[in-house]
Amino acid sequence: PRLGGAFLGGAPPADPAPKSIGLAPADLAAALARDLSEGRYILTGNLTSSLFADDCRFVDPNNAVDGLSRYRQALGFLFEPTRSQLDNVHVRVVAAGSGRATIEATYVASGELKLPWRPKISPWSGKISYDVSPVTGLVVAQTDVWNITRFDAIRQTFTPGSTSRR
């Protein structure tokens, strides 16, 4: 399924932040590592938008989202940032040269979803592949794969967690 359209109120506007055109792959990898480690962006949406093309495609086992603004908006609906973790982040350039560069990141995440029954998502490991445009140096596609099945991720969404707010 795709997140977007009516669910998120139509097409959001392009991000007005100037883009970081022409970053070397190693510099882009360092910036993505900061966004993952400090901003925990896959849980919060708190990312450096200048690193991504506005029409970037974001894919994980449960969703595909077209567009940077839509992705950030979708992430804002998912996890409770104060009760979610992103650890063991490692980011590296795996391919660079005259063609499209590829950067990979690995992580371990867990958290609590922003649903009334506060489901807790057990720790899972993920691997993100970033495709980088050879023309702009921006991320044009992000694909996240997990060590849990799509079914397990959905099952945990419907398993009640703690309803108390500690």
Side-chain angles (χ1 to χ4, degrees):
R2 287 191 176 171
L3 291 176
F7 174 71
L8 297 176
D15 194 307
K19 297 298 178 182
S20 297
I21 303 293
L23 279 182
D27 294 333
L28 178 59
L32 291 168
R34 278 190 305 278
D35 278 1
L36 285 166
S37 296
E38 298 168 18
R40 301 174 302 141
Y41 85 83
I42 62 169
L43 302 174
T44 66
N46 184 18
L47 56 74
T48 305
S49 59
S50 64
L51 305 176
F52 294 83
D54 287 333
D55 61 352
C56 186
R57 181 160 174 81
F58 299 87
V59 178
D60 69 34
N62 285 336
N63 296 295
V65 178
D66 293 315
L68 175 60
S69 295
R70 190 168 279 140
Y71 176 69
R72 292 179 79 180
Q73 188 176 21
L75 289 175
F77 291 128
L78 293 177
F79 284 91
E80 179 60 52
T82 61
R83 300 174 66 98
S84 301
Q85 299 291 324
L86 189 65
D87 299 306
N88 300 326
V89 173
H90 301 283
V91 181
R92 66 189 180 103
V93 178
V94 293
S98 59
R100 183 172 285 190
T102 301
I103 296 170
E104 286 183 354
T106 57
Y107 64 88
V108 175
S110 62
E112 180 179 284
L113 296 180
K114 292 180 177 178
L115 295 171
W117 56 94
R118 296 294 188 207
K120 298 220 183 307
I121 307 301
S122 299
W124 78 92
S125 297
K127 180 179 174 183
I128 302 172
S129 294
Y130 300 94
D131 291 333
V132 181
S133 166
V135 175
T136 64
L138 299 175
V139 176
V140 294
Q142 171 185 298
T143 304
D144 195 357
V145 295
W146 305 331
N147 73 332
I148 60 173
T149 66
R150 178 180 182 184
F151 173 77
D152 193 40
I154 293 170
R155 180 191 55 77
Q156 290 185 62
T157 300
F158 294 100
T159 302
S162 170
T163 55
S164 65
R165 305 292 298 197
R166 288 180 241 158

